Amino acid sequence: MALQWLILEYVVAAEAAIAVLLTLPWPKTIRSRIVALISKLLQPFASLIPFAVFNLLDLYWKNEHRLKCSSEVCTEEERVHYERSIYKAQRNVILCVSVCFLYWCMHQICKYHKQIKQLEDVEKKAKDL
C-alpha cells in the first residue's frame, strides 16, 4: 500500500520541478521548446488524475469506516496508532490534491504560453502588412 503513496510523492516532486522549469525566464527559443516538450508530456500525465482521485475516494472510504478511538476504553497505544493514521491520511490527501493542482497549473501555463505565441504571430503578421 505504501507504493502508491511513494509514486504520488515522486509525481508531485516531478510536477513541481516541471512547473518551475515552465516559469523560469528562458529565451524564446528555449522556452518554446520546453513548452512543446511539456505539452507532449501532459497527455500521459493525465492518467495520474484518475489515480489520485481513486486514492482520494479510498481515503474517504477508510475515514468513514475507521474505528473511532475517542472513548476511555482505548489504550494509549491504540490512541497513538489512531492519531498516526489520521496524520498519514491527511498527508495523503494533501499529496492527491497536490497532484491534481500541479497538473492543472502545468496545463494552464502551457496553454498561456501557446496563446502568447499565437498573439505574437498575429502581431507579427499585422506588422508585415
Side-chain angles (χ1 to χ4, degrees):
M1 291 301 276
L3 182 62
Q4 64 192 17
W5 303 116
L6 183 67
I7 291 170
L8 283 179
E9 287 174 5
Y10 286 139
V11 167
V12 167
E15 286 182 343
I18 290 171
V20 168
L21 275 177
L22 285 172
T23 57
L24 287 176
W26 299 100
K28 285 186 180 184
T29 56
I30 295 174
R31 180 179 46 201
S32 65
R33 290 181 182 166
I34 289 174
V35 169
L37 175 69
I38 302 302
S39 295
K40 290 180 182 180
L41 288 175
L42 282 177
Q43 192 169 10
F45 273 2
S47 64
L48 295 169
I49 301 300
F51 181 64
V53 171
F54 172 76
N55 284 322
L56 272 174
L57 291 174
D58 184 44
L59 285 169
Y60 174 75
W61 186 85
K62 286 179 182 175
N63 187 42
E64 289 295 316
H65 296 88
R66 179 178 285 138
L67 296 174
K68 304 293 184 210
C69 186
S70 57
S71 66
E72 295 182 14
V73 177
C74 296
T75 65
E76 186 65 31
E77 183 178 324
E78 289 173 338
R79 189 170 289 121
V80 168
H81 178 72
Y82 175 75
E83 289 175 1
R84 281 186 185 167
S85 68
I86 294 293
Y87 292 139
K88 285 181 182 179
Q90 290 172 348
R91 179 199 63 199
N92 294 338
V93 166
I94 291 171
L95 272 175
C96 292
V97 170
S98 298
V99 166
C100 297
F101 178 71
L102 286 171
Y103 180 83
W104 178 81
C105 287
M106 290 188 314
H107 182 293
Q108 291 298 318
I109 291 169
C110 287
K111 180 181 163 186
Y112 291 143
H113 279 297
K114 288 179 182 179
Q115 287 177 347
I116 289 171
K117 185 166 178 20
Q118 287 175 349
L119 289 173
E120 287 173 350
D121 291 343
V122 168
E123 183 182 6
K124 192 175 187 181
K125 286 180 184 178
K127 282 184 180 179
D128 290 342
L129 294 177

